């Protein structure tokens, strides 16, 4: 397996003015092609440090990729640091010079000395054509170790990677160890519960070199499995064996098997497949549930809309929640959640509906109903039920978790997976 | 000047599953406080490499900050690598154990061995309280060099940084070069217009070493000004001079003078000061406007709620938009926006209301109403008006920009700054 390290040059990345999205893009590009990423670093605009880091990386990696510091101004020092490191001068690349001259003449400028210098590359290196800008990428080799220098501007870097550099990689690295990564997205089960009590021991798979990671996010955990192998058949065989194991253990809580699909995407698709419309009656989530559903392109086919009933008067006047119910049980109660969801169904005529009412915080808690107490009501083709999770002390997190649990509960209801509610919640029939 | 290096642990960062936003957030936080960021690196989930990188960083930096790998599963190895590096065992931190036990008991779980292990920290270290999760941060010192271990989940990491760790830094680092940073948040003016035509030449301030940056975000631009100086008096004098200049040029579009205050915070406060209630009638924003307002703690004092009228039937049946208006002008029109906002005022009795209707995309555009066309309706104590921005082709961005323009237009209306609408929009009286 070939190894690679990714270096990014630039003080703006260190002080947080710019997020280093280049490193993750390159990491994904190369790991999908079977490179093992041994590390990634951000380096100051300082020639000594750049030389030292490139030297160290080239000593222990097959490929070193460097982004940034190739521009024309005083703080762009990468090319010079590399020329010095290799002990060489510069050669003008005529193709690059022609390209740079064309760009400037289109803009009605004369070429300056600074612009001309863009076409100079360290002697013995190869310029990687950059259609999107004036600074070419640069490709060098020493004793079987390769070095690629690329501009830091993301769209220039990506263009060179996908065109000029991609070709070069195929030439220089004749064999790349195949690997395949699969994703299993789960919701409604905390990471520790999922790994200890549901998935259990993975030693057998880890021993044979499969990389498995638990990636947590609010209300969700994604399992990522990567298998490196001799050939595609061997990889598929090992991945399928792992997948059968996971299916048996946690199949019912896996809501998606791609990296980017979200719970709301799955739910909108499910509703559409069943010909169901949906509406919402939100108190504590304040519109986030409806916002989340309508982030899905094409959601207008199933989402009718709903009511944000923040004040009790709106719960009464728009949703028809009874004043007695509010007085007797309080706004954060099973009874109010159920009347809210029944009210929005009456108002919109939707097949499916969800209501939320809770103490989002930071204020408003009481001993019986501490901050984080939430009731979520559901109406699915006339069947009413509610669940009662208790979340955190953070307002925004409580809103997010309420939406996650609402979506996952509904997904399980629609797919018939009723026995295990998210977070071991109890189901209160309405 | 104190030096610091930022290390992030996790294969998911190397292979591009997650972008390392933590590093830039931490880089900004520490550089604003006068630390020099000497470098940043991403490291595999591998105990040997983690030990080696932490050792090297501690040797040459005053502070080493490590994120990630503190969770409960097999791939979380940071804590163990550090205990081994320092040659120590573990101590259970009773405060952390109590906090973890509380979190799990609230959710109705028993503590597992994995959960209990979260409360164990390397002997001789100090646990940094993590209100947002179960893994505490960890603080260690050796020969005057400091090490902070933090969870990788961004909202947990940030909470610890801003609370527990911030205090610890103030204790351990007695001297940092005095600097003060001020923020000027503006909305509704594009970056180039703001800098070229409104702010103008800043050379005088840049020459004396003041760092000024324009930080753009959807619908917003924040100006950040940092002055380093010998003492607080000199710094304040220079900052005040710059602030007078900015006040004269862009005072009216500055909505906040702190880093983290958002447009919705300002608007909720404004409404509260004036004793106004607010309601919303959303089509294209799908609940995001209401969600944004209700993110503000205490917003329940002014936000009554509203209607998400995604389908035309909900616009008609709940908001009372007339079928003839929909038929004649279409759902995305000034007339419908104005009927929506009048309808929600009738329903809720609020003093102020906002409606949105538009083509969010990616589908649904036409030559007369391309994707990104939006109408926003306003009702302020009985005065009705509307604006008609045209945004992008991206669904999510269109929702965000609609909310930003709605909030900023309302802010200007409430503060009496009526002559310049966001994006030089035209005002259509209703």
């Amino acid at each position: 397996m070939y190894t690679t390290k990714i270096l990014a040059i630039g003080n703006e990345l260190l002080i947080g003015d710019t997020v280093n999205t280049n490193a993750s893009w390159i990491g994904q590009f190369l790991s999908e092609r079977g490179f093992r990423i041994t590390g990634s670093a951000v380096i100051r605009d300082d020639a000594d440090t750049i030389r030292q880091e490139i030297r160290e990386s080239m000593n222990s990696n097959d490929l070193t990729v460097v982004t940034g510091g190739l521009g024309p101004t005083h703080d762009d020092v990468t090319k010079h640091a590399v020329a010095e490191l290799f002990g060489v001068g510069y050669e003008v690349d005529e193709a690059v010079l022609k390209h740079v001259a064309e760009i400037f003449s289109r803009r009605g400028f004369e070429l300056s000395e600074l612009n001309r210098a863009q076409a100079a590359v360290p002697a013995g290196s190869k310029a990687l054509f950059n259609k999107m800008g004036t600074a070419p990428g640069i490709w060098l080799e020493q004793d079987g170790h390769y070095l690629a220098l690329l501009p830091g501007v993301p769209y220039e870097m990506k263009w060179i990677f996908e065109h000029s550099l991609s070709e070069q990689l195929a030439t220089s690295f004749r064999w790349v160890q195949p690997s395949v990564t699969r994703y299993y997205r789960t919701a409604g089960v905390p990471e520790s519960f999922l790994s200890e009590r549901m998935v259990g021991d993975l030693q057998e798979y880890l021993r044979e070199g499969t990389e498995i990671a638990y990636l947590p996010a609010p209300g969700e955990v994604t399992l990522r499995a990567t298998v490196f192998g001799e050939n595609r058949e061997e990889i598929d065989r090992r991945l399928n064996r792992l997948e059968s194991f996971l299916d048996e253990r946690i199949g019912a809580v896996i809501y998606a098997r791609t990296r980017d699909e979200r719970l709301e995407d799955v739910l909108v698709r499910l509703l559409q497949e069943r010909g169901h419309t949906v509406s919402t009656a939100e108190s504590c989530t304040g519109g986030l549930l409806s916002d989340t559903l309508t982030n899905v392109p094409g959601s207008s086919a199933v989402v009718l809309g709903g009511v944000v009933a923040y004040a009790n008067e709106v719960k009464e006047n728009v949703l028809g929640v009874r004043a007695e119910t509010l007085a007797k049980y309080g706004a954060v109660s099973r009874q109010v959640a159920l009347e809210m969801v029944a009210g929005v169904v009456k108002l919109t005529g939707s097949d499916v509906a969800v209501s939320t009412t809770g103490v989002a915080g930071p204020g408003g808690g009481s001993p019986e109903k501490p901050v984080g107490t939430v009731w979520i009501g559901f109406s699915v083709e006339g069947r009413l039920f509610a669940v009662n999770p208790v979340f955190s002390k953070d307002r925004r997190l409580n809103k997010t978790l309420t939406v996650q649990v609402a979506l996952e509960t509904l997904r399980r209801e629609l797919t018939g997976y009723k026995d295990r509610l998210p977070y071991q919640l109890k189901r209160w029939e309405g």
Side-chain angles (χ1 to χ4, degrees), chain A:
Chain A
M1 198 168 183
Y2 291 112
T3 57
T4 181
K5 186 164 182 182
I6 303 162
L7 305 175
I9 316 288
N11 295 353
E12 74 279 10
L13 296 165
L14 288 173
I15 68 168
D17 274 349
T18 312
V19 176
N20 189 8
T21 54
N22 282 348
S24 33
W25 191 91
I26 296 171
Q28 190 182 356
F29 187 98
L30 290 174
S31 61
E32 278 172 6
R33 281 152 187 83
F35 282 85
R36 180 182 176 86
I37 323 289
T38 60
S40 160
V42 180
I43 306 168
R44 296 185 71 84
D45 299 316
D46 171 71
D48 288 342
T49 318
I50 294 172
R51 271 202 309 277
Q52 186 191 328
E53 292 268 353
I54 290 178
R55 167 53 58 222
E56 276 177 23
S57 173
M58 287 187 75
N59 283 343
S60 49
N61 290 281
D62 299 302
L63 170 66
T64 298
V65 178
V66 181
T67 58
L70 293 185
T73 62
H74 70 93
D75 54 329
D76 293 305
V77 296
T78 306
K79 193 160 68 177
H80 313 300
V82 166
E84 213 175 297
L85 175 65
F86 282 71
V88 297
Y90 296 92
E91 301 163 346
V92 168
D93 185 297
E94 291 301 330
V96 174
L97 185 61
K98 187 159 164 272
H99 170 66
V100 173
E102 267 171 23
I103 288 182
F104 279 87
S105 95
R106 263 211 308 267
R107 298 184 189 163
F109 284 114
E110 252 178 86
L111 268 197
S112 71
E113 271 317 299
L114 274 188
N115 304 137
R116 230 178 265 282
Q118 299 270 73
V121 298
S125 72
K126 183 173 169 183
L128 300 168
F129 183 58
N130 175 8
K131 188 185 167 185
M132 311 303 278
T134 54
I138 292 168
W139 180 257
L140 290 117
E141 189 251 337
Q142 196 170 57
D143 306 326
H145 296 267
Y146 294 90
L147 172 66
L149 309 181
L150 301 166
V153 179
Y155 65 85
E156 296 188 20
M157 179 282 289
K158 288 177 191 172
W159 193 92
I160 298 179
F161 233 101
E162 287 174 335
H163 299 84
S164 334
L165 181 55
S166 201
E167 249 172 58
Q168 190 62 54
L169 290 175
T171 313
S172 303
F173 295 94
R174 251 165 287 162
W175 178 81
V176 184
Q177 191 185 8
S179 79
V180 176
T181 297
R182 290 190 194 164
Y183 296 85
Y184 306 94
R185 302 193 65 143
T186 75
V189 185
E191 186 183 6
S192 56
F193 190 87
L194 187 76
S195 68
E196 271 185 296
R197 306 208 202 170
M198 294 184 72
V199 174
D201 191 1
L202 288 167
Q203 278 309 317
E204 182 188 342
Y205 303 95
L206 297 172
R207 255 198 311 274
E208 62 183 29
T210 298
E211 293 181 358
I212 304 172
Y214 289 88
L215 310 173
E220 300 207 0
V221 180
T222 298
L223 263 91
R224 188 192 63 221
T226 304
V227 169
F228 294 90
E230 291 305 310
N231 53 56
R232 188 62 200 239
E233 289 69 39
E234 183 213 333
I235 290 172
D236 282 347
R237 191 174 42 72
R238 279 170 51 199
L239 267 175
N240 290 343
R241 209 161 55 80
L242 172 62
E243 186 158 316
S244 302
F245 174 81
L246 291 176
D247 263 335
E248 193 186 295
R249 298 298 181 98
I250 60 167
V253 298
I254 295 172
Y255 73 79
R257 286 156 199 257
T258 61
R259 175 179 139 167
D260 295 321
E261 206 169 11
R262 298 190 193 181
L263 207 36
E264 56 267 29
D265 299 316
V266 173
L267 194 64
V268 165
R269 201 179 54 230
L270 264 178
L271 290 166
Q272 199 156 12
E273 284 168 7
R274 282 160 175 68
H276 283 339
T277 54
V278 65
S279 66
T280 51
E282 304 183 59
S283 183
C284 67
T285 48
L288 180 62
L289 175 57
S290 171
D291 173 44
T292 304
L293 288 171
T294 59
N295 278 340
V296 180
S299 53
S300 56
V302 298
V303 179
L304 298 183
V307 176
V308 178
Y310 222 54
N312 279 353
E313 304 88 77
V314 178
K315 293 188 184 75
E316 287 182 48
N317 300 339
V318 185
L319 288 174
V321 174
R322 286 172 302 171
E324 309 91 85
T325 313
L326 283 165
K328 188 165 174 192
Y329 301 102
V332 179
S333 63
R334 174 164 56 103
Q335 291 79 5
V336 167
L338 291 170
E339 289 191 20
M340 284 173 72
V341 82
V344 80
V345 167
K346 201 167 160 195
L347 210 54
T348 65
S350 68
D351 308 301
V352 171
V354 183
S355 67
T356 65
T357 179
V359 189
S366 69
E368 313 84 63
K369 294 174 185 173
V371 170
T373 303
V374 174
W375 279 96
I376 310 177
F378 298 87
S379 170
V380 179
E381 296 186 291
R383 296 189 306 281
L384 292 184
F385 66 98
V387 299
N388 177 213
V390 179
F391 299 122
S392 76
K393 290 186 175 157
D394 182 76
R395 184 180 186 82
R396 182 73 206 172
L397 185 59
N398 285 337
K399 290 175 78 174
T400 303
L401 290 173
T402 302
V403 169
Q404 285 291 99
V405 170
L407 297 178
E408 175 64 4
T409 305
L410 199 51
R411 186 189 74 84
R412 294 187 187 190
E413 179 70 18
L414 291 172
T415 53
Y417 179 62
K418 292 180 206 176
D419 51 333
R420 278 190 249 173
L421 286 163
Y423 294 102
Q424 305 192 303
L425 292 171
K426 182 171 165 9
R427 181 184 165 112
W428 300 79
E429 302 297 332

